[in-house]
Amino acid sequence: MAVRRYPVLSCLFALVLVLASCGTESEDPVATTAATVATSGTVQEQASGSGVETEPLLVVATTTILGEMISNLVGSDAELEVLLPVGADPHDYRASAAQVALLHDADLVVANGLGLEEGLIDVLETAEADGVNVLEVGDLLDPIEFGAGGHNDHDEDGHDEDEMGEHDDHDEDGHDEDEMDDHDEDGHDEDEMDDHDEDGHDDHDEDGHDEDEMGEHDEDEGHAHTGSDPHFWLDPLRVAKAVELIAEALADVDPSIDWAGRAEVYASELEELHAEIESILAVIPEGDRKLVTNHEALGYFADRYGFEVLDTVIPGGATLADPSSAELAALVETIREEGVPAIFAETIESTALADSLAAEAGPDVEVVELYTGSLGEPGSGADTLVGMLRVNAQLIAGALG
């Protein structure tokens, strides 16, 4: 029996060798196909029925507003993560440990830049140093300087005489020394400021505004009304340019998709929105296009649609400063003298201070909350960027028209 088994075993062994040889020859084409798909740089499956799974493109946006722009480009062709929740203030938001790790896994990180994400600057810089692709889009949009969007005390920032003549008259006619005390250091010449100096401007500085009270703000938080304004998204035409830049960055990561074509579609929608906003704001007479805002967030809006930013509740371009009692008193006086009917607050900040100022300024002054640093909650009408800009225009028209 033992002798009879050996031929059978030999045959079986030979058969195994043949099958093994056939299997070896068939593996190379499969491996080559898989390697081609895995290294092609696309986020979609390359061959129908290939059964190869690829991880989607991971894009991280810092703010809800940038997330909205990116969402209109990527659709279902990328995984989009937004760091800030709806309603969060981008000026002071801090990333969690999990979010920091997410940044390092991203194929593309889109940030606003220009100092907006003050609490994220270090983690963004570290991620970029570690090789993460970080796009700070605001820097590429020809940013305006703080105050260049119609602010009445910033002649030095590039406004010509025709544009600023009305603003200069306003400085001479209505601003008292308390209101103007912190503007000598910003570059105003002696001829423009003589009246204010004679009326007690120096005494006001001695009360602590120049070095003791305001020095910390100027050095640490950028509240000296200088530097580039990061709030570009309140101008829909600049948003259209931002979307184009984001599409270019996406194409660098994954050239298989027509990101530029998608950007064109969204840009067309934003251009139509711009025309609609002009129509909404047409009810406001030119002489009434004066804004008192929570902080300097509406510069791009004012620049695009012909408004003047008279003053702000919080000094500077962030929301982290504390106004002095003298600054608040001066603001109340400005509101009364200019006949301003509304203070424009923000949904990302408490309205308590604005409410107090409005009550002191007069019974006809209302506080109107605008969507500035974040999209609105679902159902608010401002839960998309297009909706947010439209709602803001309607609120401003309703208050000033």
Side-chain angles (χ1 to χ4, degrees):
M1 293 178 63
V3 174
R4 292 175 62 183
R5 283 192 195 133
Y6 288 118
V8 174
L9 290 173
S10 299
C11 292
L12 290 173
F13 183 73
L15 180 60
V16 168
L17 289 176
V18 170
L19 292 174
S21 175
C22 293
T24 302
E25 291 176 358
S26 66
E27 284 176 2
D28 288 342
V30 174
T32 302
T33 301
T36 301
V37 173
T39 61
S40 64
T42 65
V43 296
Q44 302 298 317
E45 190 171 313
Q46 297 294 302
S48 176
S50 68
V52 177
E53 295 184 1
T54 59
E55 291 189 5
L57 194 68
L58 174 58
V59 182
V60 176
T62 54
T63 70
T64 58
I65 293 163
L66 290 171
E68 169 71 2
M69 296 180 206
I70 297 166
S71 177
N72 277 274
L73 292 177
V74 302
S76 61
D77 290 324
E79 179 184 348
L80 173 61
E81 296 288 344
V82 179
L83 298 185
L84 274 71
V86 170
D89 183 351
H91 291 287
D92 63 0
Y93 185 80
R94 304 278 177 175
S96 67
Q99 289 178 325
V100 172
L102 184 69
L103 286 172
H104 286 263
D105 291 336
D107 297 291
L108 175 65
V109 175
V110 182
N112 191 92
L114 299 175
L116 178 76
E117 303 99 331
E118 296 181 48
L120 300 176
I121 290 175
D122 289 344
V123 296
L124 290 171
E125 288 179 348
T126 300
E128 188 169 24
D130 289 343
V132 177
N133 187 11
V134 178
L135 171 65
E136 293 193 349
V137 69
D139 299 78
L140 307 176
L141 295 172
D142 189 24
I144 64 175
E145 297 298 298
F146 275 120
H151 209 289
N152 62 351
D153 57 355
H154 288 277
D155 300 50
E156 69 193 63
D157 287 335
H159 290 81
D160 59 30
E161 293 181 359
D162 291 339
E163 181 181 1
M164 293 299 294
E166 181 178 298
H167 298 169
D168 293 339
D169 291 343
H170 174 74
D171 289 344
E172 295 170 4
D173 292 340
H175 289 80
D176 61 21
E177 65 274 12
D178 289 340
E179 182 180 4
M180 297 298 294
D181 70 314
D182 61 346
H183 291 285
D184 292 338
E185 298 174 2
D186 288 342
H188 290 78
D189 60 33
E190 294 181 359
D191 291 340
E192 181 181 1
M193 298 300 295
D194 278 345
D195 291 341
H196 296 290
D197 293 337
E198 293 172 4
D199 289 339
H201 191 93
D202 292 337
D203 291 342
H204 183 73
D205 288 344
E206 291 171 3
D207 289 337
H209 281 82
D210 56 348
E211 295 178 0
D212 296 335
E213 182 173 355
M214 299 301 293
E216 180 179 351
H217 292 166
D218 293 345
E219 293 175 6
D220 296 338
E221 297 175 356
H223 300 130
H225 297 241
T226 60
S228 295
D229 186 343
H231 307 89
F232 74 86
W233 62 87
L234 295 173
D235 173 2
L237 298 186
R238 267 191 169 84
V239 174
K241 177 61 177 176
V243 170
E244 177 185 323
L245 294 170
I246 295 170
E248 291 175 1
L250 287 167
D252 289 340
V253 178
D254 177 12
S256 71
I257 295 175
D258 182 16
W259 306 111
R262 298 181 183 186
E264 275 186 36
V265 173
Y266 190 37
S268 295
E269 185 178 355
L270 291 164
E271 289 164 4
E272 291 175 2
L273 173 66
H274 164 63
E276 181 183 352
I277 289 174
E278 286 187 316
S279 177
I280 292 170
L281 298 175
V283 299
I284 306 175
E286 183 177 351
D288 293 337
R289 295 193 170 207
K290 300 174 183 179
L291 302 172
V292 172
T293 64
N294 184 58
H295 82 291
E296 281 203 58
L298 296 186
Y300 288 93
F301 171 86
D303 187 60
R304 178 64 65 190
Y305 298 108
F307 283 76
E308 175 187 357
V309 181
L310 290 177
D311 213 335
T312 61
V313 176
I314 299 173
T319 57
L320 309 179
D322 293 320
S324 68
S325 57
E327 288 170 325
L328 295 177
L331 178 55
V332 169
E333 186 64 23
T334 297
I335 292 171
R336 290 171 178 167
E337 289 178 353
E338 296 290 340
V340 176
I343 299 172
F344 292 101
E346 303 170 85
T347 59
I348 60 171
E349 292 291 322
S350 168
T351 64
L353 187 53
D355 289 335
S356 297
L357 288 170
E360 186 174 349
D364 296 330
V365 179
E366 63 176 328
V367 174
V368 178
E369 289 185 89
L370 301 179
Y371 297 91
T372 56
S374 172
L375 298 179
E377 295 286 349
S380 64
D383 49 356
T384 66
L385 182 54
V386 168
M388 167 184 152
L389 296 179
R390 180 184 293 115
V391 166
N392 281 348
Q394 291 169 341
L395 290 169
I396 291 170
L400 302 182

